[in-house]
Amino acid sequence: MVLWQVIGWVGSGLVVLSLMQARVLRFRWMNLAGAVVATVYNAVFAIWPFAAMNGAIAVIDVYWLWRLLRERHDSAVYEVVEVAPDDAYLQHVLGVHAADIAQFRAPAPGAPVAERGADGRVAFLVVRGDETVGVVLVRRLDEGVGYVELDWVTPRFRDFTPGEFVYRRSGVFAEHGFRRLVVPTGQADYLTRVGFRQQADGWVREVVAA
């Protein structure tokens, strides 16, 4: 009996903890685990209304996990919108999330900045429906080099990599005169997947015109 009490508390705890998660994917996994445990617990003690409720929650979680994982690399779901570096909405997003963004912003580039446009930058918003889920800022250096100053994702979608959709559109960088993109550091698996290769002083991606 004591073992089953522990199991029941574990299930309840997982459900409560899942509601505290900002990341949508982590929330779904934890909520699913808690719902499955709670379903088993209530079924063992024949508490059928709660068993049915938690079973239904588990099925809903499975559906959303399937959908989220299926769509994570789908360019039909995530759209890239190029905006002016001084765009009012972009500045609003950067301001609202300033504290979080500060943890991901790359240090100032060592090479000289080749000014062109507003502060020598190009900017992209990654949106999912009407929700902004990411920002990519690339600063222009001399000799056609683009310095990835920011590749940021909102906490809700941090288990995903929506920035990849910007790099898929490599033609847009060529249109802006970039021949190469550089980033000082980042997650190796992500950077490799979007076409960067590691060098002694950071990561580099050659730009190919579409």
Side-chain angles (χ1 to χ4, degrees), residues 182-205:
V182 299
V183 59
T185 186
Q187 295 183 357
D189 57 341
Y190 167 64
L191 291 173
T192 301
R193 188 166 67 250
V194 297
F196 285 84
R197 52 187 173 82
Q198 191 170 21
Q199 295 187 346
D201 55 350
W203 293 80
V204 176
R205 184 185 193 277

Side-chain angles (χ1 to χ4, degrees), residues 51-95:
M53 179 187 70
N54 283 285
I57 291 173
V59 171
I60 293 169
D61 284 328
V62 167
Y63 165 76
W64 278 106
L65 282 167
W66 168 78
R67 180 171 173 177
L68 288 167
L69 293 172
R70 181 176 64 89
E71 294 176 348
R72 70 189 309 172
H73 302 299
D74 190 346
S75 58
V77 175
Y78 294 89
E79 180 67 26
V80 177
V81 180
E82 184 174 356
V83 296
D86 56 355
D87 178 82
Y89 178 71
L90 171 63
Q91 296 306 314
H92 170 73
V93 172
L94 296 178

Side-chain angles (χ1 to χ4, degrees), residues 76-126:
V77 175
Y78 294 89
E79 180 67 26
V80 177
V81 180
E82 184 174 356
V83 296
D86 56 355
D87 178 82
Y89 178 71
L90 171 63
Q91 296 306 314
H92 170 73
V93 172
L94 296 178
V96 169
H97 299 280
D100 187 54
I101 287 173
Q103 304 175 51
F104 297 91
R105 200 154 199 158
V113 175
E115 295 294 341
R116 177 179 166 187
D119 200 21
R121 291 188 178 94
V122 294
F124 305 92
L125 296 173
V126 185

Side-chain angles (χ1 to χ4, degrees), residues 10-65:
V10 167
S12 297
L14 284 170
V15 171
V16 171
L17 285 174
S18 73
L19 298 175
M20 300 169 64
Q21 304 304 310
R23 300 188 182 191
V24 63
L25 193 60
R26 185 177 298 178
F27 158 70
R28 287 294 175 188
W29 278 118
M30 292 183 67
N31 195 259
L32 172 62
V36 169
V37 172
T39 299
V40 173
Y41 175 84
N42 285 290
V44 166
F45 291 96
I47 310 174
W48 300 116
F50 286 101
M53 179 187 70
N54 283 285
I57 291 173
V59 171
I60 293 169
D61 284 328
V62 167
Y63 165 76
W64 278 106
L65 282 167

